[in-house]
Amino acid sequence: MDLPRLQAAILIISDTAFRDPSTDKAGDILSDIIAIDGNDQWESTKRDIVPDDVFAIQRTVSQYCDGEDYVNLLITTGGTGFAVKDNTPEAVAPLIHRHAPGLVHGMLQASLEVTPFALMSRPVAGVRNKTLIVTLPGSPKGAKENLQAILRLMPHACQQAAGGDSRKLHSGGIEKLEEDAGVRSNKRQKHHHDDHVHSHDHTHDHGAHVVPKAHTRPEDRPISNDPRAGPTSRYRESPYPMLSVEEAVSLVLAKSPAPEAIHVPVNGSLVGHFLAEDVEANDPVPAYRASIVDGYAVIVSETGLSTKGVFPVASVSHAAPGEISTLQRGQIARITTGAPLPPGANAVVMVEDTVLRSMTDDGQEEKVVEILTDQVKADENIREVGSDIKAGEVVLRKGDEITAVGGELGLLASIGKAEVMVYRKPVIGVLSTGDEIVMHDRARPLQLGEVRDCNRPTLMAAIKGWGFQVVDYGIAKDKPGSLEEHLRNALRNVDVIVTSGGVSMGELDLLKPTLERSLGGTIHFGRVNMKPGKPTTFATVPLKTSDGNPATKLVFSLPGNPASALVTSHLFVLPSLQHSSGKQGRHGLPRMKVQLEEDVRCDPKRPEYHRVSLTYGFNGLLHATSTGGQRSSKVMSLRRANGLLCLPVKEWTAPKGEIVDALLMGGV
Ligand code: AMP
Ligand code: MG
């Protein structure tokens, strides 16, 4: 068989090797086995070291298995024993889509022939997306025995896992497979025609055999709970890999639709939009030669004749439209700031440099004025045509924001733009979920078990505050039908849906199954390493618009606890909306250094976003005061919260006066 070369990766899981890679022995041994015993079927192996940390392991496994550049075989070594820190199976098992107990059995059996201690290893094996994962023990000897026991079979398994054509792969029957793999079963030599030792889904092509063929790819199948299966069948640990906040934000940005350019009139509703084109001025600004002072338009002669002297005031030029008569030599014209220069005049003398000599008979007008200076030069006190903006000049660039400060809108107005191209802003629907959630303004007192909806008003206010149109989709019950109906209704009308609640581990947490199983959406992440907000979920749902065009809608399913919903909306929803509305550069909340007003404890396990009040301090720094208890259900932790401290994962109390990073949520 003409076999393509396969890609393998070795993941060393060990706190010690992570600190000092030179202590690792298993990596080289396993690479050598693949190179020497691998029948020339493997590309050179990639290698990584992670500590015995579930999140680090899951992140790396997901990197090797989830992208376009997935590897065919991921071999981990270490962390499979019974020591407290050994947690490789706990990290890897939830990520496996299809378990392979046969491989586990084979590895254990091989080692068992060497030592009864083989039973002290807790390996798992199986397929995630298109990658076969096996977890070997950390001892170089054990790892070697295990790998040698299964390596020959790996190319076949990996090709199938990657979607290779089963019919072709099996076209020579089981004996040909064994021959290709360089393995031969004793049993087979005796019972030549007994194909049934081979597992069920392996097809033996005898011509008439119909090959069962799946029409979906494993990675496209739902991994959320099946709500019909009831609470006893639900996952007892989230099957979604834990992403860091940074990884989750990158995914959100990668999956958020590209900005869409639209033509809009230039008026106040433009504020907060980003330009989708360079804007040029058609006309110069100012459009005429104008005086920059109140005074008298004069003619400064090139022959050096002095302006000093007594002159009749021939005309008046006010800053108003209309005809202005030409100034003759020997005359002056009174002129106001911003008024057009009379034809013939070439300078303006400030009123301060003049005295009135005589008035008209009615005393209402100036007749003769004396100019006291002969220092006035041609063009003095004149604002030239186009001295501010030249005709054809680019005044605003594609990507510039029309800010609420107002200047950009003024600039567009001053060049006479009636319409510009900007990026359309997404419209966002907000939905609460939960059988216990009731409207905040319901007259009846709360019954036992009822909770007033705090998230919907909070999220709607936040989104509006970021400058987006928001639509209220009310409260959905924890019933598959209710949730699906609410979501479908919203999906038809908005670009992005933000829900809260229903993403934890309870049997009534229906968001993930509904998104995946009922709406055909893809969940891009379902767990983020952060506090609060761990179960934050992000999905895209494909849809046809009313005019039949395909569209992708985004769904952010935020955790139900009010502090979690607020924090995660600012961390994940805001950057997506900014991206889709054409904002360039860094997305998300502004990050800055602030000084602690009190001691603040960090969480030793998860990066924490601690709600604080930020105020200006006398030392020029922003000062942070905690909003108090940070339990994610505590609504009082939202009071006066205009900032989020970004606390490191550390067994540490950051002392008063310490400078730490913070995200600015609101005005100071
Ligand atoms: P869930 O994620 O649905 O399990 O919700 C977690 C917690 O948040 C539960 O105590 C809910 O009652 C609470 N919760 C969910 N949605 C809201 C909401 N809209 N307003 C206030 N509390 C909520
Ligand atoms: Mg709920």
Side-chain angles (χ1 to χ4, degrees):
M1 202 165 5
D2 187 17
L3 294 170
R5 281 161 74 87
L6 297 160
Q7 185 79 58
I10 297 169
L11 179 59
I12 294 137
I13 299 171
S14 154
D15 284 341
T16 319
F18 183 71
R19 275 194 298 274
D20 178 6
S22 71
T23 59
D24 170 56
K25 302 282 173 289
D28 285 342
I29 291 178
L30 296 177
S31 288
D32 287 350
I33 294 174
I34 293 172
I36 297 162
D37 300 347
N39 210 9
D40 205 26
Q41 286 179 344
W42 301 94
E43 299 281 353
S44 62
T45 40
K46 297 178 177 179
R47 207 187 292 184
D48 234 320
I49 306 182
V50 293
D52 289 293
D53 169 63
V54 170
F55 304 147
I57 299 170
Q58 289 188 330
R59 255 199 314 276
T60 316
V61 169
S62 145
Q63 275 160 14
Y64 278 119
C65 306
D66 294 357
E68 295 279 303
D69 308 326
Y70 65 91
V71 298
N72 299 97
L73 176 63
L74 175 60
I75 299 166
T76 73
T77 165
T80 59
F82 284 82
V84 176
K85 69 177 183 56
D86 288 331
N87 51 27
T88 300
E90 286 63 44
V92 175
L95 301 188
I96 288 179
H97 297 148
R98 294 183 297 152
H99 281 269
L103 288 178
V104 172
H105 184 89
M107 292 193 293
L108 290 178
Q109 192 187 14
S111 294
L112 201 54
E113 282 172 14
V114 181
T115 166
F117 273 91
L119 297 186
M120 300 303 286
S121 179
R122 306 181 297 122
V124 294
V127 177
R128 177 175 175 83
N129 297 333
K130 296 178 172 177
T131 303
L132 180 58
I133 308 172
V134 291
T135 62
L136 308 182
S139 92
K141 190 167 168 299
K144 181 178 170 192
E145 287 156 11
N146 277 210
L147 183 60
Q148 280 173 332
I150 58 167
L151 183 64
R152 298 281 173 100
L153 303 168
M154 292 297 97
H156 178 71
C158 290
Q159 278 157 18
Q160 282 210 300
D165 183 341
S166 283
R167 202 178 174 91
K168 247 193 207 154
L169 286 171
H170 293 110
S171 61
I174 187 75
E175 289 175 30
K176 175 82 169 61
L177 283 175
E178 287 181 354
E179 194 182 315
D180 282 339
V183 294
R184 197 103 188 118
S185 94
N186 298 332
K187 229 179 192 165
R188 174 153 317 287
Q189 282 157 6
K190 282 183 231 135
H191 310 281
H192 227 195
H193 300 289
D194 182 10
D195 268 355
H196 296 278
V197 235
H198 211 54
S199 82
H200 240 66
D201 55 341
H202 285 202
T203 324
H204 331 124
D205 191 287
H206 297 303
H209 235 84
V210 177
V211 182
K213 185 171 181 305
H215 293 281
T216 55
R217 298 178 302 169
E219 65 272 28
D220 294 338
R221 292 176 196 145
I223 59 170
S224 51
N225 281 315
D226 181 351
R228 292 165 310 180
T232 51
S233 311
R234 78 187 138 132
Y235 287 106
R236 306 203 86 79
E237 192 185 334
S238 172
Y240 295 91
M242 180 83 92
L243 301 195
S244 67
V245 170
E246 295 72 25
E247 287 166 322
V249 171
S250 303
L251 254 178
V252 165
L253 294 179
K255 301 294 173 189
S256 298
E260 176 196 335
I262 49 168
H263 284 278
V264 288
V266 172
N267 59 35
S269 46
L270 209 58
V271 168
H273 285 79
F274 294 87
L275 284 171
E277 61 174 350
D278 287 352
V279 177
E280 278 181 16
N282 290 326
D283 310 314
V285 177
Y288 56 85
R289 295 190 92 198
S291 173
I292 60 170
V293 293
D294 291 319
Y296 296 89
V298 299
I299 302 172
V300 176
S301 112
E302 317 77 69
T303 54
L305 265 179
S306 173
T307 51
K308 201 168 173 177
V310 176
F311 298 91
V313 180
S315 61
V316 180
S317 176
H318 283 152
E323 285 290 307
I324 307 157
S325 46
T326 305
L327 195 66
Q328 306 296 334
R329 198 167 288 280
Q331 298 177 334
I332 59 173
R334 195 166 78 242
I335 191 165
T336 57
T337 302
L341 205 66
N346 63 356
V348 177
V349 178
M350 292 167 75
V351 67
E352 290 86 341
D353 290 335
T354 66
V355 287
L356 179 62
R357 278 289 165 227
S358 67
M359 292 181 284
T360 50
D361 294 342
D362 58 8
Q364 295 298 304
E365 255 304 347
E366 298 173 337
K367 197 166 165 193
V368 175
V369 163
E370 182 178 358
I371 296 178
L372 304 172
T373 173
D374 60 356
Q375 301 292 309
V376 180
K377 309 248 165 8
D379 303 331
E380 195 168 320
N381 292 331
I382 293 173
R383 198 160 56 206
E384 295 296 339
V385 171
S387 59
D388 188 348
I389 301 168
K390 290 181 190 50
E393 185 175 336
V394 173
V395 298
L396 287 170
R397 294 254 170 227
K398 180 175 172 171
D400 281 346
E401 183 181 0
I402 312 299
T403 67
V405 176
E408 295 79 16
L409 199 56
L411 187 49
L412 289 173
S414 69
I415 62 162
K417 270 275 166 191
E419 200 183 79
V420 280
M421 213 158 68
V422 296
Y423 293 111
R424 188 175 76 80
K425 286 191 164 202
V427 177
I428 299 93
V430 175
L431 173 64
S432 288
T433 74
D435 287 340
E436 78 281 31
I437 307 300
V438 299
M439 298 295 262
H440 69 279
D441 51 0
R442 192 189 66 176
R444 201 150 40 87
L446 289 183
Q447 276 184 344
L448 176 65
E450 286 183 332
V451 175
R452 287 192 192 94
D453 187 358
C454 149
N455 294 345
R456 202 167 33 93
T458 307
L459 295 170
M460 288 179 63
I463 295 167
K464 213 163 151 209
W466 303 334
F468 295 89
Q469 192 192 327
V470 53
V471 184
D472 185 350
Y473 282 96
I475 304 167
K477 292 276 172 222
D478 288 325
K479 308 274 179 303
S482 167
L483 192 54
E484 184 180 341
E485 192 185 318
H486 273 80
L487 287 172
R488 277 196 194 282
N489 183 21
L491 283 169
R492 272 194 295 274
N493 296 301
V494 298
D495 303 289
V496 178
I497 302 179
V498 181
T499 71
S500 64
V503 285
S504 317
M505 295 295 290
E507 71 272 21
L508 290 181
D509 289 325
L510 292 172
L511 250 303
K512 286 177 172 113
T514 305
L515 288 168
E516 229 181 9
R517 293 166 186 268
S518 309
L519 299 172
T522 305
I523 293 178
H524 300 289
F525 58 80
R527 232 175 4 148
V528 185
N529 189 25
M530 63 187 296
K531 183 181 173 184
K534 191 164 83 163
T536 303
T537 296
F538 169 63
T540 48
V541 179
L543 205 81
K544 276 217 166 52
T545 57
S546 50
D547 43 12
N549 292 322
T552 299
K553 307 282 172 138
L554 307 183
V555 183
F556 291 89
S557 289
L558 311 179
N561 276 316
S564 313
L566 184 80
V567 169
T568 55
S569 64
H570 280 84
L571 259 62
F572 302 110
V573 183
L574 174 64
S576 166
L577 301 184
Q578 289 174 330
H579 169 89
S580 292
S581 38
K583 182 180 190 304
Q584 296 175 346
R586 226 191 132 270
H587 294 125
L589 299 173
R591 199 180 178 105
M592 59 196 55
K593 301 277 179 205
V594 302
Q595 188 165 35
L596 298 183
E597 282 287 281
E598 61 199 305
D599 293 359
V600 177
R601 241 185 92 67
C602 299
D603 187 283
K605 292 218 168 73
R606 282 186 282 161
E608 184 173 2
Y609 295 86
H610 186 119
R611 276 84 65 211
V612 286
S613 278
L614 297 174
T615 49
Y616 289 113
F618 291 119
N619 57 2
L621 290 170
L622 285 183
H623 286 203
T625 310
S626 171
T627 58
Q630 296 286 303
R631 210 172 53 213
S632 60
S633 56
K634 235 179 163 252
V635 284
M636 280 300 272
S637 75
L638 308 182
R639 185 176 61 166
R640 299 198 194 113
N642 60 350
L644 298 172
L645 296 181
C646 307
L647 297 177
V649 180
K650 223 173 178 182
E651 193 79 65
W652 184 49
T653 297
K656 175 178 174 168
E658 184 79 11
I659 306 284
V660 298
D661 277 7
L663 298 170
L664 192 59
M665 283 198 293
V668 178

